[in-house]
Amino acid sequence: MTKTIQIALDGPAAAGKSTIAKIVAEKLGYVYIDTGAMYRAITLKALDAGIDLASSEETGRLLMDTKIDLQPSPAGQLVFLDGKNVTEDIRSEAVTKSVSQIASHESVRKQMVELQQQLASGRGVVMDGRDIGTHVLPDAELKVFMSATVAERARRRYEENNKRGFKTPLEDLQKEIAARDKMDSEREVSPLRQAEDALYLDTTNLTIEQAATDILKLAEERLN
Ligand code: DC
């Protein structure tokens, strides 16, 4: 049987994780799992339902009655929330602003981590998020913690938004990214931090191709 490995890519918002994870997964023929999309999907549902986002109990209960599916497609990973395609909706500003709050609840994280572990079980995966190397896949053969300066991450998000027709000012994006970094790093349950056995990759001055090549090289080393 061909050997497969699990690859955990963690890091702060807009560090380039998902773009690079997709390339690496495609090159290796592995499944790509965007865990941030899963937290975004439950945030969208909570906003639509009008429940109290600060309540761990209410959001946890909502998630118990929720089905989140990730499906690969030629256009990228599609996200389904209770059977509805929400791939675009989960990228809205409203969801982006509230997702860190929802992701801070233990009731939500416990269920998400279980689901993510099931999705990754027994196969080659590239999973990106904040706590993959520390909690979701602690035995992953390759763990990389990717980051870049706030200014560079905001610039990338600005360009990405521009392509999609959003015109959020660069300064607002810098503030939003810095605020999410703070919330994701300071929360009590599974905060964003580099796993002890993760390699650090600063992508500030790297192109997407360079970062993907670096990670693929590391993956090949683990596979041989
Ligand atoms: O990767 P992203 O920006 O789409 O993630 C959205 C939010 O979800 C992020 O601000 C923190 C949270 N998140 C998390 O807490 N744990 C993960 N494994 C993935 C994302």
Side-chain angles (χ1 to χ4, degrees), residues 108-121:
V108 170
R109 299 203 72 83
K110 199 164 172 285
Q111 296 181 65
M112 285 294 191
V113 170
E114 266 171 34
L115 180 57
Q116 289 156 5
Q117 287 171 337
Q118 280 168 21
L119 290 173
S121 167

Side-chain angles (χ1 to χ4, degrees), residues 10 13-14 17 34-37 39-40 91 96 99-100 103 109 116 128-132 136 157 180 184 187 190:
D10 288 300
K17 300 183 299 290
D34 174 357
T35 62
Y39 287 97
R40 285 173 179 272
R91 305 286 157 194
T96 301
V99 62
S100 289
R109 299 203 72 83
Q116 289 156 5
D128 80 7
R130 305 291 189 286
D131 60 338
I132 311 305
V136 182
R157 191 46 56 91
R180 274 212 287 155
D184 294 343
R187 68 172 175 235
S190 312

Side-chain angles (χ1 to χ4, degrees), residues 10 18 32 46 50 57 73 96 109 123 130-131 148 161 163 168 188 191 193 196 214 219:
D10 288 300
S18 64
Y32 162 56
E57 205 193 325
S73 89
T96 301
R109 299 203 72 83
R123 55 180 175 172
R130 305 291 189 286
D131 60 338
N161 282 357
K163 281 191 206 134
T168 317
E188 268 173 42
R193 65 174 173 79
E196 268 173 27
D214 282 358

Side-chain angles (χ1 to χ4, degrees), residues 26-98:
E26 196 172 314
K27 286 258 162 63
L28 295 171
Y30 286 8
V31 181
Y32 162 56
I33 301 170
D34 174 357
T35 62
M38 299 167 79
Y39 287 97
R40 285 173 179 272
I42 188 61
T43 303
L44 177 67
K45 184 165 174 174
L47 287 169
D48 286 349
I51 64 158
D52 179 8
L53 304 187
S55 162
S56 176
E57 205 193 325
E58 279 188 44
T59 45
R61 202 174 324 118
L62 187 75
L63 184 54
M64 272 180 214
D65 274 328
T66 301
K67 195 164 164 36
I68 297 171
D69 271 330
L70 303 178
Q71 285 179 21
S73 89
Q77 181 194 254
L78 301 177
V79 185
F80 290 86
L81 175 64
D82 297 324
K84 184 176 167 233
N85 184 344
V86 295
T87 313
E88 283 293 314
D89 301 350
I90 59 167
R91 305 286 157 194
S92 73
E93 257 180 59
V95 169
T96 301
K97 282 215 169 78
S98 299

Side-chain angles (χ1 to χ4, degrees), residues 180-195:
R180 274 212 287 155
D181 281 0
K182 187 166 159 47
M183 254 196 117
D184 294 343
S185 313
E186 290 180 359
R187 68 172 175 235
E188 268 173 42
V189 196
S190 312
L192 168 68
R193 65 174 173 79
Q194 183 176 344

